[in-house]
Amino acid sequence: MYMFLVLIVAAVLAVLVPFGPILLIGIAVALVAENYRQTMKMREDILAIKNHLGLMNKQEAEQYEMERKNKDVSQLSPDEMKSLNQEIEAELARDSKKNT
């Protein structure tokens, strides 16, 4: 309903304002982007609930954990990222020593 009302107002502005069609296109793009953002947020919430309740199969759970870890890593500060990289490098060095 909200989107329908906004599109009606945008259509009226498109008729009354000289650059109305451009304004209408801009409003439509903004509405689509906002709707997509809300849909992705709801999807994340649903996956978190399914994971908490244990309703995911093994493949879904693994994929969810990988996405969550990627999201957590992408939100790290540069100092945290540097320390994490050092830990990974140290672990890789230990593994390479074990294999040789």
Side-chain angles (χ1 to χ4, degrees):
M1 183 63 186
Y2 167 74
M3 292 177 66
F4 184 68
L5 182 63
V6 171
L7 286 176
I8 289 173
V9 170
V12 169
L13 287 175
V15 172
L16 299 177
V17 179
F19 295 106
I22 295 171
L23 182 64
L24 179 64
I25 291 170
I27 291 172
V29 168
L31 286 174
V32 168
E34 177 64 18
N35 190 19
Y36 177 76
R37 188 191 65 79
Q38 288 178 351
T39 302
M40 293 308 294
K41 178 69 175 148
M42 287 190 309
R43 178 184 173 272
E44 290 173 5
D45 291 343
I46 290 170
L47 287 175
I49 291 169
K50 282 179 70 174
N51 186 47
H52 180 73
L53 295 176
L55 299 175
M56 291 184 170
N57 61 30
K58 185 177 180 180
Q59 183 181 7
E60 286 178 328
E62 289 174 358
Q63 185 177 2
Y64 172 76
E65 288 299 321
M66 285 182 11
E67 288 176 4
R68 190 178 58 79
K69 286 179 183 177
N70 286 339
K71 184 178 178 184
D72 291 344
V73 168
S74 68
Q75 295 176 352
L76 293 176
S77 69
D79 293 334
E80 293 171 328
M81 186 68 80
K82 187 175 181 179
S83 67
L84 181 63
N85 284 337
Q86 289 173 348
E87 290 175 16
I88 292 171
E89 288 173 1
E91 185 178 331
L92 289 174
R94 284 191 304 259
D95 287 346
S96 67
K97 288 180 182 178
K98 285 182 182 178
N99 292 335
T100 57

